[in-house]
Amino acid sequence: MEKWILLGTILIRKILFCGSVKANGVILADIVNQLDTTNSLVAWAFSLQNGIALLISPLVMFLLNYFSERQLCMVGGLLGGLGYIYCGLMMTSVYQLFIGLSVSGFGFGLAILPSFVSLQYHFQPTELPLIISAIGTFDYIGVAILPPVLQLFRSDYGLKNSLILLGALAFNVATCGAAARRPRNVKQTNNKQTNAVRQPDQEEPASNRDTKGIRKLFSNLRSLFQHKNIGILLIAEFVAFYVFASWAIFLVSLGKTQGLTDEESVFLSTAGGLGGFIGKCSAAVLFKFKLVNPFTATLIPCFTTAAVFVVATMSTDFHILLALIFISGLTQGINSSCVFSLMPGSVCPYHYRQILILECLSCGLGTQFSGYVSGTIQDVTGSTIYVYLFNAMLNILLVLLSIWWACDPEPNLECDKSSL
């Protein structure tokens, strides 16, 4: 029962974390007007929140040498909520928005990654791929649920109070963090093994051991790229998260640009979230039947996404836009899930941990750049339409990249470190 409680709490954390980037788009225009600032700065603050959560993954792995998964998850949940509450109570300038959302993003980063680490103590290695795939489907559940909730808060209580209420919701991440603990028998076994291994090196300072561990983790990155297609997959992941963050933050703005009401624009987010959920489930089916390849993972989804974005910029009908955004969520869900899942299986065991951290860094950088660049495009052009046209162009570039990938799709699991 303990492992299923842990799994359920991770799903709640993913809903709140991934839903926040979409929900932020609901209040984008309000914050720009209230703070008398630009779309680029506010969107940058929104993307920074989610980018930091991924970019601090090396730091989180380092902190796990000193603190338990449970401790980091609970502290992270508190910080995730406090960041929003700070914005609701203190926000009078865009710099305070950056501070509050950075604290919130740092907290989410502390809460999410350790919870995945704790999974390995509750599930067998053969079960983990399926479990992680199931968790991934809940990313878009948050995208579907949280924007309407924030819109309700905004309509009834105003901007600042809605941020405070969103922070109160985020506090649930801290409560869920209590479940992120190892089984007692595993903890005792690990302690015995640890003592047996470290006894000879007790005289060595802990700081030296930590430095060696970090140096080992990031050393020999050159040999990592001896594995085929790793560079292509990292680029594809960077672009996928850039497009996702831009799509999420500016979707409500696109609806308003196309003449929809506030309520109709928020429903676009719900449609996109449901489409993404189905896309993630579809990716799991593709993996089940071994149908994942450069065409199903990137070429077809990215070409469809690009076409949908272009058509969406020319449509003003609510029902047509609803269908288009649903399709774009579905195709992005397939693309991101397939690329993310392919990466660990494309390297040898020696580089497994390194590629996981590089994945998080790539996703974080893509998210980080997305808000600022997309906001700048809107400020310069005066229209969200050009944001989506630029995203369509990026998807076409991924189509070209997938053709290059298709020329030699099979990964090479051998490198200089494979025998270590």
Side-chain angles (χ1 to χ4, degrees):
M1 177 60 71
E2 193 176 50
K3 66 182 181 181
W4 300 113
I5 293 175
L6 170 64
L7 183 59
T9 59
I10 291 177
L11 298 180
I12 295 173
R13 275 173 269 184
K14 291 287 282 182
I15 288 173
L16 292 173
F17 170 59
C18 295
S20 65
V21 65
K22 195 76 168 183
N24 287 340
V26 174
I27 54 176
L28 173 66
D30 290 345
I31 293 180
V32 170
N33 293 331
Q34 178 170 318
L35 301 182
D36 191 24
T37 185
T38 62
N39 287 284
S40 59
L41 286 177
V42 175
W44 186 13
F46 288 163
S47 62
L48 180 65
Q49 178 198 20
N50 286 264
I52 283 179
L54 297 166
L55 290 172
I56 66 168
S57 56
L59 173 62
V60 175
M61 297 301 291
F62 172 76
L63 291 176
L64 283 172
N65 293 323
Y66 296 94
F67 304 99
S68 69
E69 294 88 358
R70 190 182 193 187
Q71 290 171 328
L72 291 182
C73 287
M74 294 182 72
V75 171
L78 291 174
L79 291 175
L82 285 174
Y84 273 115
I85 292 175
Y86 171 83
C87 289
L89 294 175
M90 308 296 294
M91 184 180 64
T92 57
S93 71
V94 71
Y95 303 106
Q96 291 170 321
L97 177 68
F98 269 92
I99 292 172
L101 293 184
S102 296
V103 170
S104 180
F106 188 86
F108 277 125
L110 288 179
I112 298 299
L113 186 58
S115 64
F116 279 93
V117 173
S118 61
L119 282 174
Q120 66 181 310
Y121 303 110
H122 293 269
F123 294 93
Q124 297 297 322
T126 54
E127 298 175 314
L128 281 175
L130 180 60
I131 295 297
I132 293 175
S133 296
I135 291 172
T137 62
F138 278 75
D139 294 355
Y140 282 87
I141 295 294
V143 168
I145 292 176
L146 233 58
V149 171
L150 187 58
Q151 174 65 21
L152 179 64
F153 289 163
R154 172 177 167 269
S155 300
D156 292 346
Y157 304 108
L159 175 61
K160 290 194 172 184
N161 289 329
S162 65
L163 287 170
I164 294 173
L165 289 172
L166 191 59
L169 277 178
F171 277 144
N172 287 290
V173 175
T175 307
C176 293
R181 60 182 180 183
R182 307 179 189 182
R184 292 183 180 180
N185 59 335
V186 172
K187 189 179 295 185
Q188 292 171 356
T189 302
N190 284 351
N191 287 340
K192 290 180 182 179
Q193 292 173 346
T194 301
N195 290 336
V197 172
R198 292 187 180 178
Q199 190 109 26
D201 298 325
Q202 281 182 343
E203 296 181 358
E204 184 181 5
S207 59
N208 289 347
R209 293 197 301 270
D210 294 333
T211 302
K212 288 181 179 179
I214 295 172
R215 190 180 301 133
K216 181 180 178 181
L217 183 63
F218 289 101
S219 66
N220 301 314
L221 283 180
R222 184 175 181 179
S223 62
L224 169 66
F225 288 93
Q226 292 176 0
H227 299 289
K228 292 180 186 176
N229 303 320
I230 287 301
I232 293 176
L233 290 173
L234 285 172
I235 294 172
E237 199 158 56
F238 173 89
V239 175
F241 269 76
Y242 174 97
V243 173
F244 169 77
S246 177
W247 171 77
I249 293 172
F250 287 93
L251 185 54
V252 174
S253 298
L254 176 67
K256 292 179 180 179
T257 300
Q258 300 303 82
L260 303 185
T261 65
D262 289 348
E263 290 74 17
E264 289 174 334
S265 299
V266 171
F267 274 121
L268 294 182
S269 297
T270 303
L274 292 175
F277 173 76
I278 295 174
K280 292 274 189 177
C281 294
S282 301
V285 173
L286 292 174
F287 273 106
K288 173 68 175 177
F289 293 99
K290 298 180 180 180
L291 296 175
V292 176
N293 54 57
F295 299 99
T296 57
T298 305
L299 191 149
I300 296 174
C302 290
F303 181 81
T304 305
T305 302
V308 165
F309 282 170
V310 172
V311 176
T313 61
M314 298 185 290
S315 177
T316 57
D317 182 83
F318 170 64
H319 296 94
I320 294 177
L321 281 171
L322 204 66
L324 291 172
I325 298 306
F326 174 85
I327 295 171
S328 68
L330 187 149
T331 54
Q332 288 185 86
I334 293 174
N335 173 239
S336 62
S337 184
C338 286
V339 172
F340 190 85
S341 301
L342 279 172
M343 196 90 71
S346 299
V347 298
C348 65
Y350 179 88
H351 286 113
Y352 180 80
R353 190 173 180 180
Q354 289 175 317
I355 198 60
L356 286 178
I357 292 179
L358 279 180
E359 277 192 287
C360 289
L361 292 175
S362 176
C363 297
L365 288 172
T367 304
Q368 170 63 42
F369 281 105
S370 178
Y372 182 76
V373 174
S374 298
T376 300
I377 292 173
Q378 176 153 326
D379 287 333
V380 172
T381 63
S383 175
T384 312
I385 287 176
Y386 295 99
V387 173
Y388 276 77
L389 290 176
F390 182 75
N391 292 341
M393 183 185 71
L394 289 178
N395 275 279
I396 293 298
L397 291 178
L398 279 187
V399 169
L400 300 176
L401 197 66
S402 66
I403 296 174
W404 183 10
W405 175 17
C407 295
D408 193 8
E410 293 299 323
N412 173 23
L413 301 182
E414 298 295 327
C415 71
D416 292 342
K417 304 296 180 179
S418 299
S419 59
L420 296 180

